[in-house]
Amino acid sequence: MNSNNQFKVKFGSFHNESVNNQTITRFIHASDIHLGSHQYRNKYRANDFIRTFQDILELAIEKQVDFVILGGDVFTSLEMLPGKLTKIITLLKNFENFTNNTILIIAIEGNHDIRKFSRGVRFERRGQSWLKLLNSLGLIILLDTDMDAPPEQMFKPYNYNTYMGGKIQIKNTVIYGTRYLGEKPISFLSKIRKGIMKSKSVFNILLQHFGIDGQMKNVPGIKLEAIQHLRHRVDYLALGHFHKQFILEDWIYNPGSSEAVCSMDNSFKRGVFLVEISNKSDKFVKKVEMIRLVNRKYIWETISLNIRIRNNNEIETFLIKRLKSSLKYLDHDVNPSTPNMPILYLMLKGLEPSNSCKINEKGLRKKICDIFPIVDVKIYKKYMKSHKTLDKYILA
Ligand SMILES: [Mn+2]
């Protein structure tokens, strides 16, 4: 085994007790890892997403689970820098080696896994994803289904030779999964239900990438009523998509994104679920524990520009002076590779600077990052519109 294996360095050796216990199944349900996020802008932030993925795998080792399920959006887009992908592949190889392949990673594609951001190309129709690559390397199990097949043929057992299949049984748990079903998956759900086999001796998990209406403000999802029919055949609906965590009716679980993909994610409850299924006198008993992950620290600072600004230099000097006073408590000795060095969200309010002294955002960001012990800064503007409206009124 490679001595650079990060799991070996951390844990020494591994023996999965769980393999021999047929009555208890343990798994981790995570989602929306968004590997590849921020990779063009900031290397530390880009590594945050890989580190969080590593944390999930370490948790799987610590808790001696039988498998990990990932509810899609494992990658943030099809665009992936070679260095980052190499890191992810090495991580998965090391995990497989260290655990002797006793903890399977089972995933489905989310909308981000098949999405190309730039130039608006509709790439999802070509059916490619990095998850398919990892699956073909034997590093993960990607569940996928032929949605045109009749229901009874839709979920074929995963085949380790062809790397294809829509379901997999581990102990007395069967995990079903499909490809991303688009923004309106309802039309597929009755077919999915027909394809799922229910028997008393197995615990069924259905892995899906969609949200439930009402769980996130202003984000549409499927109506809760529309999935009730699945409940007869699904014991645990494992969702991904919404970055905010929710649990509904004791059978629908959405862990939320594992790292904050945008500033709004920071305000959500997020994490992973550690689930234990035990079989007691022919009945399944489920225990779900929510575990929080260690994420990048962050700070919000709001500065009001209620001053007359004559030039670009003046505004930068003003902002830096203000930040020097409010951020003086920050520790300068923190390693930016650790999540302890914060990201700064800077909100600018007040009077919008006139066109002649517009803020050079790129330059300002660099300056702020050079001066303060922060890993990155994101600038938001929420200026008053009043003087603009007045100008418009006078001109009219
Ligand atoms: Mn997502």
CSV table of all heavy atoms in Angstrom, one decimal, residues 26-33 53 56-57 60 65-72 74 103-108 141 143 168 170 173-177 203-208 236-240 253 255 271-273 275:
chain,number,residue,atom,x,y,z
A,26,ARG,N,-25.1,-0.3,8.2
A,26,ARG,CA,-24.9,1.2,8.5
A,26,ARG,C,-24.4,1.8,7.2
A,26,ARG,O,-23.7,1.3,6.4
A,26,ARG,CB,-23.7,1.3,9.5
A,26,ARG,CG,-24.2,1.6,10.9
A,26,ARG,CD,-23.1,2.1,11.7
A,26,ARG,NE,-22.0,1.2,11.8
A,26,ARG,CZ,-22.0,0.2,12.8
A,26,ARG,NH1,-22.9,0.1,13.7
A,26,ARG,NH2,-21.0,-0.7,12.8
A,27,PHE,N,-24.9,3.1,7.0
A,27,PHE,CA,-24.5,3.8,5.8
A,27,PHE,C,-24.5,5.3,6.0
A,27,PHE,O,-25.1,5.8,7.0
A,27,PHE,CB,-25.3,3.5,4.6
A,27,PHE,CG,-26.8,3.9,4.6
A,27,PHE,CD1,-27.1,5.1,4.1
A,27,PHE,CD2,-27.8,3.1,5.1
A,27,PHE,CE1,-28.5,5.5,4.1
A,27,PHE,CE2,-29.1,3.5,5.1
A,27,PHE,CZ,-29.5,4.7,4.6
A,28,ILE,N,-23.7,6.0,5.2
A,28,ILE,CA,-23.7,7.5,5.2
A,28,ILE,C,-24.4,8.0,4.0
A,28,ILE,O,-24.2,7.5,2.9
A,28,ILE,CB,-22.3,8.0,5.3
A,28,ILE,CG1,-21.8,7.8,6.8
A,28,ILE,CG2,-22.2,9.5,4.9
A,28,ILE,CD1,-20.3,8.2,6.9
A,29,HIS,N,-25.3,8.9,4.2
A,29,HIS,CA,-26.0,9.6,3.1
A,29,HIS,C,-25.5,11.0,3.0
A,29,HIS,O,-25.7,11.8,3.9
A,29,HIS,CB,-27.5,9.5,3.4
A,29,HIS,CG,-28.4,10.3,2.4
A,29,HIS,ND1,-29.7,10.6,2.7
A,29,HIS,CD2,-28.1,10.8,1.2
A,29,HIS,CE1,-30.2,11.3,1.7
A,29,HIS,NE2,-29.2,11.4,0.7
A,30,ALA,N,-24.8,11.3,1.9
A,30,ALA,CA,-24.3,12.7,1.7
A,30,ALA,C,-24.8,13.1,0.3
A,30,ALA,O,-25.2,12.3,-0.5
A,30,ALA,CB,-22.8,12.7,1.8
A,31,SER,N,-24.7,14.4,0.1
A,31,SER,CA,-25.0,14.9,-1.3
A,31,SER,C,-24.4,16.2,-1.6
A,31,SER,O,-23.9,16.9,-0.7
A,31,SER,CB,-26.6,15.0,-1.4
A,31,SER,OG,-26.9,15.2,-2.7
A,32,ASP,N,-24.5,16.6,-2.9
A,32,ASP,CA,-24.1,17.9,-3.3
A,32,ASP,C,-22.7,18.3,-2.8
A,32,ASP,O,-22.6,19.3,-2.2
A,32,ASP,CB,-25.2,18.9,-3.0
A,32,ASP,CG,-26.5,18.7,-3.7
A,32,ASP,OD1,-27.3,17.8,-3.2
A,32,ASP,OD2,-26.7,19.3,-4.7
A,33,ILE,N,-21.7,17.5,-3.2
A,33,ILE,CA,-20.4,17.7,-2.8
A,33,ILE,C,-19.7,18.8,-3.7
A,33,ILE,O,-18.9,19.6,-3.3
A,33,ILE,CB,-19.6,16.4,-2.8
A,33,ILE,CG1,-20.2,15.5,-1.8
A,33,ILE,CG2,-18.1,16.6,-2.5
A,33,ILE,CD1,-19.8,14.1,-1.9
A,53,PHE,N,-15.0,16.0,1.0
A,53,PHE,CA,-15.3,14.7,0.5
A,53,PHE,C,-14.4,13.7,1.2
A,53,PHE,O,-14.9,12.6,1.7
A,53,PHE,CB,-14.9,14.6,-1.0
A,53,PHE,CG,-15.4,13.4,-1.7
A,53,PHE,CD1,-16.5,12.7,-1.3
A,53,PHE,CD2,-14.6,12.9,-2.8
A,53,PHE,CE1,-16.9,11.5,-1.9
A,53,PHE,CE2,-15.0,11.7,-3.4
A,53,PHE,CZ,-16.1,11.0,-3.0
A,56,ILE,N,-15.9,13.0,4.6
A,56,ILE,CA,-17.0,12.1,4.5
A,56,ILE,C,-16.5,10.6,4.5
A,56,ILE,O,-16.9,9.8,5.2
A,56,ILE,CB,-17.9,12.4,3.3
A,56,ILE,CG1,-18.6,13.7,3.5
A,56,ILE,CG2,-18.9,11.3,3.1
A,56,ILE,CD1,-19.2,14.3,2.2
A,57,LEU,N,-15.4,10.4,3.7
A,57,LEU,CA,-14.8,9.1,3.6
A,57,LEU,C,-14.2,8.7,4.9
A,57,LEU,O,-14.3,7.5,5.3
A,57,LEU,CB,-13.8,9.0,2.4
A,57,LEU,CG,-14.4,9.4,1.0
A,57,LEU,CD1,-13.3,9.3,0.0
A,57,LEU,CD2,-15.5,8.4,0.7
A,60,ALA,N,-16.8,7.6,7.2
A,60,ALA,CA,-17.3,6.2,6.8
A,60,ALA,C,-16.3,5.2,7.4
A,60,ALA,O,-16.8,4.1,7.8
A,60,ALA,CB,-17.3,6.1,5.3
A,65,VAL,N,-19.0,1.9,8.3
A,65,VAL,CA,-20.3,1.7,7.5
A,65,VAL,C,-20.1,0.7,6.4
A,65,VAL,O,-19.0,0.3,6.1
A,65,VAL,CB,-20.8,3.1,6.9
A,65,VAL,CG1,-21.0,4.1,8.0
A,65,VAL,CG2,-19.8,3.6,5.9
A,66,ASP,N,-21.2,0.2,5.9
A,66,ASP,CA,-21.2,-0.7,4.8
A,66,ASP,C,-21.1,0.0,3.4
A,66,ASP,O,-20.6,-0.6,2.5
A,66,ASP,CB,-22.4,-1.6,4.8
A,66,ASP,CG,-22.5,-2.4,6.1
A,66,ASP,OD1,-21.7,-3.4,6.2
A,66,ASP,OD2,-23.2,-2.1,7.0
A,67,PHE,N,-21.7,1.2,3.4
A,67,PHE,CA,-21.6,1.9,2.1
A,67,PHE,C,-21.9,3.4,2.3
A,67,PHE,O,-22.4,3.8,3.4
A,67,PHE,CB,-22.6,1.3,1.1
A,67,PHE,CG,-24.0,1.3,1.5
A,67,PHE,CD1,-24.9,2.3,1.2
A,67,PHE,CD2,-24.5,0.1,2.2
A,67,PHE,CE1,-26.2,2.2,1.6
A,67,PHE,CE2,-25.9,0.1,2.5
A,67,PHE,CZ,-26.7,1.1,2.3
A,68,VAL,N,-21.6,4.2,1.3
A,68,VAL,CA,-21.8,5.6,1.3
A,68,VAL,C,-22.7,5.9,0.1
A,68,VAL,O,-22.4,5.4,-1.0
A,68,VAL,CB,-20.5,6.4,1.2
A,68,VAL,CG1,-20.8,7.9,1.1
A,68,VAL,CG2,-19.6,6.1,2.3
A,69,ILE,N,-23.8,6.6,0.3
A,69,ILE,CA,-24.6,7.0,-0.9
A,69,ILE,C,-24.5,8.5,-1.1
A,69,ILE,O,-24.5,9.3,-0.2
A,69,ILE,CB,-26.1,6.6,-0.8
A,69,ILE,CG1,-26.7,6.9,0.6
A,69,ILE,CG2,-26.3,5.1,-1.1
A,69,ILE,CD1,-28.2,6.6,0.7
A,70,LEU,N,-24.4,8.9,-2.4
A,70,LEU,CA,-24.2,10.3,-2.8
A,70,LEU,C,-25.4,10.6,-3.7
A,70,LEU,O,-25.5,10.0,-4.8
A,70,LEU,CB,-22.9,10.5,-3.5
A,70,LEU,CG,-21.6,10.0,-2.8
A,70,LEU,CD1,-20.4,10.2,-3.7
A,70,LEU,CD2,-21.4,10.8,-1.5
A,71,GLY,N,-26.2,11.6,-3.3
A,71,GLY,CA,-27.4,12.0,-4.0
A,71,GLY,C,-27.2,12.9,-5.2
A,71,GLY,O,-28.1,13.8,-5.4
A,72,GLY,N,-26.1,12.8,-5.9
A,72,GLY,CA,-25.9,13.6,-7.1
A,72,GLY,C,-25.3,15.0,-6.8
A,72,GLY,O,-25.1,15.4,-5.7
A,74,VAL,N,-22.2,15.4,-7.4
A,74,VAL,CA,-20.9,15.1,-6.8
A,74,VAL,C,-19.9,16.1,-7.4
A,74,VAL,O,-19.0,16.6,-6.7
A,74,VAL,CB,-20.5,13.6,-7.1
A,74,VAL,CG1,-19.2,13.3,-6.5
A,74,VAL,CG2,-21.6,12.7,-6.6
A,103,ILE,N,-16.2,-0.8,1.8
A,103,ILE,CA,-17.1,0.3,1.9
A,103,ILE,C,-17.4,0.8,0.5
A,103,ILE,O,-16.6,1.5,-0.1
A,103,ILE,CB,-16.6,1.4,2.8
A,103,ILE,CG1,-16.3,0.9,4.2
A,103,ILE,CG2,-17.7,2.5,2.9
A,103,ILE,CD1,-15.7,2.0,5.1
A,104,LEU,N,-18.5,0.5,-0.1
A,104,LEU,CA,-18.8,0.9,-1.4
A,104,LEU,C,-19.3,2.3,-1.5
A,104,LEU,O,-20.1,2.8,-0.6
A,104,LEU,CB,-19.8,0.0,-2.1
A,104,LEU,CG,-19.4,-1.5,-2.2
A,104,LEU,CD1,-20.5,-2.3,-2.8
A,104,LEU,CD2,-18.1,-1.6,-3.1
A,105,ILE,N,-19.0,3.0,-2.5
A,105,ILE,CA,-19.5,4.4,-2.7
A,105,ILE,C,-20.5,4.3,-3.9
A,105,ILE,O,-20.1,4.0,-5.0
A,105,ILE,CB,-18.3,5.4,-3.0
A,105,ILE,CG1,-17.3,5.4,-1.9
A,105,ILE,CG2,-18.9,6.8,-3.3
A,105,ILE,CD1,-16.1,6.1,-2.2
A,106,ILE,N,-21.7,4.6,-3.6
A,106,ILE,CA,-22.8,4.5,-4.6
A,106,ILE,C,-23.4,5.9,-4.9
A,106,ILE,O,-23.7,6.6,-4.0
A,106,ILE,CB,-23.9,3.5,-4.0
A,106,ILE,CG1,-23.3,2.2,-3.7
A,106,ILE,CG2,-25.1,3.4,-5.0
A,106,ILE,CD1,-24.0,1.4,-2.7
A,107,ALA,N,-23.4,6.2,-6.2
A,107,ALA,CA,-23.8,7.6,-6.5
A,107,ALA,C,-24.8,7.6,-7.7
A,107,ALA,O,-24.9,6.6,-8.4
A,107,ALA,CB,-22.5,8.4,-6.9
A,108,ILE,N,-25.5,8.7,-7.8
A,108,ILE,CA,-26.3,9.0,-9.0
A,108,ILE,C,-25.8,10.3,-9.6
A,108,ILE,O,-25.2,11.1,-8.8
A,108,ILE,CB,-27.8,9.0,-8.8
A,108,ILE,CG1,-28.1,9.9,-7.6
A,108,ILE,CG2,-28.3,7.6,-8.5
A,108,ILE,CD1,-29.6,10.4,-7.6
A,141,ILE,N,-19.7,3.2,-7.6
A,141,ILE,CA,-20.8,2.5,-8.3
A,141,ILE,C,-21.8,3.5,-8.7
A,141,ILE,O,-22.4,4.2,-7.8
A,141,ILE,CB,-21.4,1.4,-7.4
A,141,ILE,CG1,-20.4,0.2,-7.3
A,141,ILE,CG2,-22.8,0.9,-7.9
A,141,ILE,CD1,-20.7,-0.8,-6.3
A,143,LEU,N,-25.3,4.3,-10.2
A,143,LEU,CA,-26.5,3.6,-10.6
A,143,LEU,C,-27.2,4.4,-11.7
A,143,LEU,O,-27.2,5.7,-11.7
A,143,LEU,CB,-27.5,3.6,-9.3
A,143,LEU,CG,-27.0,2.7,-8.2
A,143,LEU,CD1,-28.0,2.7,-7.0
A,143,LEU,CD2,-26.7,1.3,-8.6
A,168,ILE,N,-28.5,-2.2,-6.4
A,168,ILE,CA,-27.5,-3.0,-5.8
A,168,ILE,C,-27.9,-3.4,-4.4
A,168,ILE,O,-28.5,-2.6,-3.7
A,168,ILE,CB,-26.1,-2.3,-5.8
A,168,ILE,CG1,-25.0,-3.2,-5.3
A,168,ILE,CG2,-26.1,-1.0,-5.0
A,168,ILE,CD1,-23.6,-2.6,-5.6
A,170,ILE,N,-26.8,-4.7,-0.7
A,170,ILE,CA,-25.8,-4.9,0.3
A,170,ILE,C,-26.4,-5.4,1.6
A,170,ILE,O,-27.3,-4.7,2.2
A,170,ILE,CB,-25.0,-3.6,0.5
A,170,ILE,CG1,-24.3,-3.1,-0.8
A,170,ILE,CG2,-24.0,-3.7,1.6
A,170,ILE,CD1,-23.9,-1.7,-0.8
A,173,THR,N,-30.2,-4.6,2.5
A,173,THR,CA,-30.6,-3.3,2.0
A,173,THR,C,-30.4,-3.3,0.4
A,173,THR,O,-29.4,-3.7,-0.1
A,173,THR,CB,-29.7,-2.2,2.6
A,173,THR,OG1,-29.9,-2.3,4.0
A,173,THR,CG2,-30.1,-0.9,2.2
A,174,VAL,N,-31.4,-2.8,-0.3
A,174,VAL,CA,-31.3,-2.7,-1.7
A,174,VAL,C,-31.4,-1.2,-2.0
A,174,VAL,O,-32.3,-0.5,-1.6
A,174,VAL,CB,-32.4,-3.4,-2.5
A,174,VAL,CG1,-32.2,-3.2,-4.0
A,174,VAL,CG2,-32.4,-4.9,-2.1
A,175,ILE,N,-30.4,-0.7,-2.8
A,175,ILE,CA,-30.3,0.7,-3.2
A,175,ILE,C,-30.7,0.8,-4.7
A,175,ILE,O,-30.1,0.2,-5.5
A,175,ILE,CB,-28.9,1.3,-3.0
A,175,ILE,CG1,-28.5,1.1,-1.5
A,175,ILE,CG2,-28.9,2.8,-3.3
A,175,ILE,CD1,-27.3,0.3,-1.3
A,176,TYR,N,-31.8,1.6,-4.9
A,176,TYR,CA,-32.2,1.8,-6.3
A,176,TYR,C,-31.8,3.2,-6.7
A,176,TYR,O,-31.8,4.1,-5.8
A,176,TYR,CB,-33.7,1.8,-6.4
A,176,TYR,CG,-34.3,0.4,-6.3
A,176,TYR,CD1,-34.5,-0.2,-5.0
A,176,TYR,CD2,-34.7,-0.4,-7.4
A,176,TYR,CE1,-35.1,-1.4,-4.9
A,176,TYR,CE2,-35.2,-1.6,-7.3
A,176,TYR,CZ,-35.4,-2.2,-6.0
A,176,TYR,OH,-36.0,-3.4,-5.9
A,177,GLY,N,-31.4,3.4,-7.9
A,177,GLY,CA,-31.0,4.8,-8.3
A,177,GLY,C,-31.2,5.0,-9.8
A,177,GLY,O,-31.2,4.0,-10.6
A,203,PHE,N,-34.8,-3.9,3.0
A,203,PHE,CA,-35.0,-2.5,3.3
A,203,PHE,C,-34.6,-1.7,2.0
A,203,PHE,O,-33.5,-1.8,1.5
A,203,PHE,CB,-34.1,-2.0,4.4
A,203,PHE,CG,-34.3,-0.6,4.9
A,203,PHE,CD1,-35.2,-0.3,5.9
A,203,PHE,CD2,-33.5,0.4,4.3
A,203,PHE,CE1,-35.4,1.0,6.3
A,203,PHE,CE2,-33.7,1.7,4.7
A,203,PHE,CZ,-34.6,2.0,5.7
A,204,ASN,N,-35.6,-1.0,1.4
A,204,ASN,CA,-35.4,-0.3,0.1
A,204,ASN,C,-35.0,1.2,0.3
A,204,ASN,O,-35.7,1.9,1.0
A,204,ASN,CB,-36.7,-0.4,-0.7
A,204,ASN,CG,-36.8,-1.7,-1.4
A,204,ASN,OD1,-35.9,-2.5,-1.5
A,204,ASN,ND2,-38.0,-1.9,-1.9
A,205,ILE,N,-33.9,1.5,-0.4
A,205,ILE,CA,-33.5,2.9,-0.5
A,205,ILE,C,-33.6,3.3,-1.9
A,205,ILE,O,-33.2,2.6,-2.8
A,205,ILE,CB,-32.0,3.1,0.0
A,205,ILE,CG1,-31.8,2.6,1.4
A,205,ILE,CG2,-31.5,4.5,-0.2
A,205,ILE,CD1,-30.3,2.6,1.9
A,206,LEU,N,-34.2,4.5,-2.1
A,206,LEU,CA,-34.3,5.0,-3.5
A,206,LEU,C,-33.5,6.3,-3.5
A,206,LEU,O,-33.7,7.2,-2.7
A,206,LEU,CB,-35.7,5.3,-3.9
A,206,LEU,CG,-35.9,6.0,-5.3
A,206,LEU,CD1,-35.4,5.2,-6.4
A,206,LEU,CD2,-37.4,6.4,-5.5
A,207,LEU,N,-32.5,6.4,-4.4
A,207,LEU,CA,-31.6,7.5,-4.5
A,207,LEU,C,-32.0,8.4,-5.6
A,207,LEU,O,-32.1,8.0,-6.8
A,207,LEU,CB,-30.2,7.0,-4.7
A,207,LEU,CG,-28.9,7.8,-4.5
A,207,LEU,CD1,-28.9,8.5,-3.2
A,207,LEU,CD2,-27.7,7.0,-4.7
A,208,GLN,N,-32.3,9.7,-5.3
A,208,GLN,CA,-32.9,10.6,-6.3
A,208,GLN,C,-32.3,12.0,-6.2
A,208,GLN,O,-31.9,12.4,-5.1
A,208,GLN,CB,-34.4,10.7,-6.2
A,208,GLN,CG,-35.1,9.4,-6.7
A,208,GLN,CD,-35.0,9.3,-8.2
A,208,GLN,OE1,-35.6,10.1,-9.0
A,208,GLN,NE2,-34.3,8.3,-8.7
A,236,TYR,N,-36.6,4.4,2.5
A,236,TYR,CA,-35.8,5.6,2.8
A,236,TYR,C,-35.5,6.2,1.4
A,236,TYR,O,-34.9,5.7,0.5
A,236,TYR,CB,-34.4,5.1,3.4
A,236,TYR,CG,-33.5,6.2,3.8
A,236,TYR,CD1,-33.2,6.5,5.1
A,236,TYR,CD2,-32.7,6.9,2.8
A,236,TYR,CE1,-32.3,7.5,5.5
A,236,TYR,CE2,-31.9,7.9,3.2
A,236,TYR,CZ,-31.7,8.2,4.5
A,236,TYR,OH,-30.8,9.2,4.9
A,237,LEU,N,-36.2,7.4,1.2
A,237,LEU,CA,-35.9,8.2,0.0
A,237,LEU,C,-34.7,9.1,0.2
A,237,LEU,O,-34.8,10.0,1.0
A,237,LEU,CB,-37.2,9.0,-0.4
A,237,LEU,CG,-37.1,9.8,-1.6
A,237,LEU,CD1,-36.8,9.0,-2.9
A,237,LEU,CD2,-38.4,10.6,-1.8
A,238,ALA,N,-33.6,8.7,-0.4
A,238,ALA,CA,-32.4,9.5,-0.2
A,238,ALA,C,-32.3,10.5,-1.3
A,238,ALA,O,-32.1,10.2,-2.5
A,238,ALA,CB,-31.2,8.5,-0.3
A,239,LEU,N,-32.4,11.8,-0.9
A,239,LEU,CA,-32.4,12.9,-1.9
A,239,LEU,C,-31.1,13.7,-1.9
A,239,LEU,O,-30.4,13.7,-0.9
A,239,LEU,CB,-33.6,13.8,-1.6
A,239,LEU,CG,-35.0,13.3,-1.8
A,239,LEU,CD1,-36.0,14.4,-1.4
A,239,LEU,CD2,-35.2,12.8,-3.2
A,240,GLY,N,-30.9,14.4,-3.0
A,240,GLY,CA,-29.9,15.4,-3.1
A,240,GLY,C,-30.6,16.5,-4.0
A,240,GLY,O,-31.7,16.2,-4.5
A,253,TYR,N,-35.3,12.0,3.2
A,253,TYR,CA,-34.1,12.6,3.8
A,253,TYR,C,-33.3,13.3,2.8
A,253,TYR,O,-32.9,12.8,1.7
A,253,TYR,CB,-33.3,11.5,4.4
A,253,TYR,CG,-33.9,10.8,5.6
A,253,TYR,CD1,-34.8,9.7,5.4
A,253,TYR,CD2,-33.7,11.3,6.9
A,253,TYR,CE1,-35.5,9.2,6.5
A,253,TYR,CE2,-34.4,10.7,8.0
A,253,TYR,CZ,-35.3,9.6,7.7
A,253,TYR,OH,-35.9,9.1,8.8
A,255,PRO,N,-29.7,15.6,3.0
A,255,PRO,CA,-28.7,16.1,3.9
A,255,PRO,C,-28.2,17.5,3.7
A,255,PRO,O,-27.7,18.1,4.6
A,255,PRO,CB,-27.6,15.1,3.7
A,255,PRO,CG,-27.8,14.6,2.3
A,255,PRO,CD,-29.2,14.6,2.0
A,271,GLY,N,-25.2,18.9,6.3
A,271,GLY,CA,-24.3,17.9,6.8
A,271,GLY,C,-24.6,16.5,6.2
A,271,GLY,O,-24.9,16.5,5.0
A,272,VAL,N,-24.3,15.5,6.9
A,272,VAL,CA,-24.6,14.1,6.3
A,272,VAL,C,-25.4,13.3,7.4
A,272,VAL,O,-25.5,13.7,8.5
A,272,VAL,CB,-23.3,13.3,6.0
A,272,VAL,CG1,-22.5,14.1,5.0
A,272,VAL,CG2,-22.5,13.1,7.3
A,273,PHE,N,-26.1,12.3,6.9
A,273,PHE,CA,-26.8,11.4,7.8
A,273,PHE,C,-26.0,10.1,7.9
A,273,PHE,O,-25.6,9.5,7.0
A,273,PHE,CB,-28.2,11.1,7.2
A,273,PHE,CG,-29.1,12.3,7.1
A,273,PHE,CD1,-29.7,12.7,5.9
A,273,PHE,CD2,-29.4,13.1,8.3
A,273,PHE,CE1,-30.5,13.8,5.8
A,273,PHE,CE2,-30.2,14.2,8.2
A,273,PHE,CZ,-30.8,14.6,6.9
A,275,VAL,N,-26.8,6.5,9.1
A,275,VAL,CA,-28.1,5.7,9.2
A,275,VAL,C,-27.7,4.3,9.6
A,275,VAL,O,-26.8,3.7,9.1
A,275,VAL,CB,-28.9,5.7,7.9
A,275,VAL,CG1,-30.3,5.0,8.2
A,275,VAL,CG2,-29.1,7.1,7.4
